Amino acid sequence: QVQLVESGGGLAQTGGSLRLSCAASGSMGYVGVMGWYRQSPGNQRELVARITGDGRAHYIYDVEGRFTISRDNAKNTVYLQMNSLKPEDTAVYYCNAYLRPTDRVSVQEYWGQGTQITVSS
């Protein structure tokens, strides 16, 4: 069974750094775009960054220049390096990926379980 397993996160001070990892486990025939979303209380889940299989990255304006998304295709893992953290970055961060398990014929969207990031002022 394919699943996304997140690690990292936790508590940081303003200006600090944190790193998230998300590994896709299971038997996969195709791994497409991988990315990170976040959701804070009272707000909708929003895209933070995404990266294609060939390494093209896209960031939302709020994090560009502070966050870096990367991936290791051999490990089916995506990372989010978060620097210069601000209190407004506080949210639950979710890994997202478009995958095709080997026992399926179509690409499906998968989500990680979410990990809390809290930035104190």
Side-chain angles (χ1 to χ4, degrees):
Q1 181 178 355
V2 170
Q3 58 180 346
L4 300 179
V5 180
E6 302 175 16
S7 59
L11 179 65
Q13 293 185 333
T14 297
S17 298
L18 288 171
R19 179 179 167 92
L20 298 178
S21 299
C22 172
S25 65
S27 181
M28 287 164 284
Y30 171 79
V31 180
V33 173
M34 303 183 81
W36 293 94
Y37 286 69
R38 67 185 179 187
Q39 187 170 20
S40 55
N43 294 314
Q44 290 186 334
R45 190 174 297 188
E46 65 172 355
L47 172 68
V48 175
R50 62 174 181 256
I51 186 168
T52 63
D54 59 357
R56 287 173 292 150
H58 168 79
Y59 302 91
I60 60 170
Y61 176 80
D62 285 352
V63 308
E64 195 153 18
R66 299 189 297 121
F67 291 10
T68 301
I69 190 171
S70 60
R71 62 189 286 169
D72 184 334
N73 290 334
K75 297 180 179 179
N76 292 327
T77 299
V78 62
Y79 307 95
L80 187 67
Q81 177 66 43
M82 302 180 288
N83 299 329
S84 302
L85 284 163
K86 305 176 181 179
E88 49 264 44
D89 294 320
T90 296
V92 177
Y93 284 68
Y94 296 91
C95 176
N96 174 271
Y98 287 85
L99 312 169
R100 182 180 64 78
T102 54
D103 62 349
R104 303 292 177 91
V105 297
S106 62
V107 174
Q108 298 178 325
E109 185 178 27
Y110 288 82
W111 291 93
Q113 77 276 14
T115 186
Q116 177 70 46
I117 300 292
T118 302
V119 183
S120 62
S121 58

